Amino acid sequence: MTPNAASAPSGPSRRSFLASTAVATAAVAGGMPLLAACGGSEGGSREGTTSGKAADKLLPTYVASTFAKPDLPSKNGSAAGYTGKVDLAALSTSVPEKLATGAPLKIMAPLWGTPPKPGCAYYKAGDAAAGTKITWQNQDGNTYAEKLGAVLASSSIPDMVVVPDWNMVGKISSAVTAKFMDLGPYLSGDKVKKYPNLAAIPSDAWRVSIFGGALRGIPMPMASVPNIVPFYRKDLFDKKGYTVPKSADEFLSWAKEATSAKAKVWACADMRWSAAGIFGVLPAGPLGWNIGDDGKLTYRIEHPEYLEHLEWVRKLFAAGVVHPDDKANTGDPAQRFTAGQTLVYNQNMSDWYGKTAEQAQSNPDFEIDGMDYFGADGGDPTLYAGQPASIWSMIRKGASKETVENALAAANFAAAPYGTKERMYVDYGVEGTHYTIKDGVPVKNDRGLQEVNNAWVLLAAPAPYLAHPDLPEVTRKQVEWQQRQGAFMKKTSTYGMKIVEPSRYATLSSQFEQLEIDFVRGNKKLSDIQQAISTWKSSGGDKLRDWYKELLDKNGSGN
């Protein structure tokens, strides 16, 4: 079955997140809820967060799934891994009774690629199995923010809407608490036991589903370990006798040796995302706020590591070891990697399986592997945990009881764990119609490739797992890589909190991504970055710090 553990990395790659069919248990310290902190309510939102005992009262009771035992159990925040073959006869049923009534249900969700046609066999089979009658309003994932904003600003909102965290900025963030309903009366405490698959979602994922003091989101849980992998061409490394670098200086020295413009081979792509891990840079967004050992609350861009990681990437560009198309920021870095034009690039973990499967026939010698993160000086790295969920499905405020229960029934079906008939349907469709089993491996036919696209998978998901029956060794490598990186993972002070910042700060950091892109390519000076940091502080960064300080004082730290 397909993986569901891919998370959305910070930066532009989140635009392509879920382009493939892929898609934690530390309680936040006690404290009182902060629902309208530091400036009160703006645009209908309830700023701040809810944590500690106040959040505990809202959480669904956790009841672990008893289905298929993983071959590789979760460790250090990793996903679980399944390396066995698929035996359809051995699949369990996680939804023995249809919980939905068949009443009409409209769902809007992002979708990357060509959406299935309304009334297709995949959708019909899903409705028949779950007892639903869904009209899917699939929208282009690359432009979803615009569509989502327009819909939430209107008076006509679908019954259920999928809301990714990276789209939750400005007025969209404000609209979440104004337009979506409190699901606590249906899911908090033991009420969730009516929906066993939702009850098996880890509590940390539910904890970050609290918006404006109420449980409003149904989460897609994700592994908290880093999801950006520094991929390298292991087959070409072995052929050339290269040793995987273990420090920033070693990487630069290797890169100079490996690059040959005459042979049209360059060492790497733009390595900014991996450099953040190598230099121990805090994450972007709310997770980037952290109380250090000195007791001071600072944001990621205020740390020396922030400038250091950019200066190192700039050295790579200046040394000519980055592919020219990456310098021009054009084309697809993954294609240059599979063509052997670059030997290292960074992307989210789904490419480990995706590129291996893609190259299996045309390039049988192709082997992709993931470098372990190293500290810039060659010591242990400092990596930071991602939030345990960053995509939610939500139900419009004012929906009827029947609509709510049908939406929850659909989410319960979508959250079926690995080893169940429902999971098999969600990921592969109907046997014979969309796929066949060959030697224990499900293989989609043309209809399956066309129709079984991201739709059901976005409503909810089970605890993070990885499973590739056709390439079990990839599953093993992915999970073991996560486990190794997880050993060096820390949680920032804002971990495990769904924080709604005041909308007046929504664009405060928006200039940094383009500035970073320009700086590493030599088009901006270090003084430009330093000036931007200074402007950030005076334009609201220092006031936002005060807001976060009050929030953490009242709610406690997430680490």
Side-chain angles (χ1 to χ4, degrees), residues 448-477:
L449 293 172
Q450 180 182 12
E451 294 184 1
V452 185
N453 204 342
N454 292 311
W456 274 100
V457 295
L458 293 173
L459 301 187
Y465 75 91
L466 289 159
H468 310 293
D470 55 334
L471 294 168
E473 192 56 31
V474 171
T475 302
R476 182 174 298 281
K477 288 181 178 181

Side-chain angles (χ1 to χ4, degrees), residues 362-543:
S362 60
N363 187 6
D365 294 330
F366 175 89
E367 186 175 2
I368 183 175
D369 210 339
M371 289 185 183
D372 284 359
Y373 278 102
F374 46 80
D377 61 359
D380 292 338
T382 299
L383 305 172
Y384 292 97
Q387 292 290 35
S390 65
I391 300 179
W392 300 268
S393 60
M394 302 183 183
I395 302 172
R396 65 175 175 84
K397 191 172 288 187
S400 67
K401 184 173 185 290
E402 182 179 36
T403 296
V404 175
E405 291 180 343
N406 274 281
L408 293 176
N412 183 66
F413 187 90
Y418 187 85
T420 65
K421 295 177 181 177
E422 294 82 8
R423 181 84 262 137
M424 195 71 199
Y425 163 76
V426 169
D427 289 339
Y428 285 96
V430 179
E431 184 190 15
T433 302
H434 299 106
Y435 73 94
T436 56
I437 297 290
K438 297 180 181 179
D439 298 323
V441 176
V443 180
K444 289 180 184 177
N445 55 29
D446 289 344
R447 189 170 190 175
L449 293 172
Q450 180 182 12
E451 294 184 1
V452 185
N453 204 342
N454 292 311
W456 274 100
V457 295
L458 293 173
L459 301 187
Y465 75 91
L466 289 159
H468 310 293
D470 55 334
L471 294 168
E473 192 56 31
V474 171
T475 302
R476 182 174 298 281
K477 288 181 178 181
Q478 287 177 311
V479 174
E480 290 178 348
W481 184 88
Q482 288 186 332
Q483 292 174 345
R484 292 194 303 273
Q485 313 320 301
F488 302 105
M489 187 173 65
K490 296 182 178 181
K491 294 173 181 176
T492 70
S493 302
T494 48
Y495 175 83
M497 302 177 184
K498 184 54 199 168
I499 295 172
V500 179
E501 292 183 351
S503 58
R504 60 183 175 274
Y505 301 122
T507 61
L508 187 61
S509 300
S510 60
Q511 77 273 28
F512 281 98
E513 183 176 326
Q514 186 59 50
L515 191 57
E516 291 171 11
I517 291 171
D518 290 338
F519 173 75
V520 298
R521 286 163 173 77
N523 300 325
K524 292 288 184 179
K525 297 178 292 185
L526 180 62
S527 59
D528 295 321
I529 301 272
Q530 293 169 326
Q531 181 59 51
I533 295 171
S534 178
T535 300
W536 173 87
K537 290 181 179 181
S538 61
S539 298
D542 285 335
K543 290 182 179 179

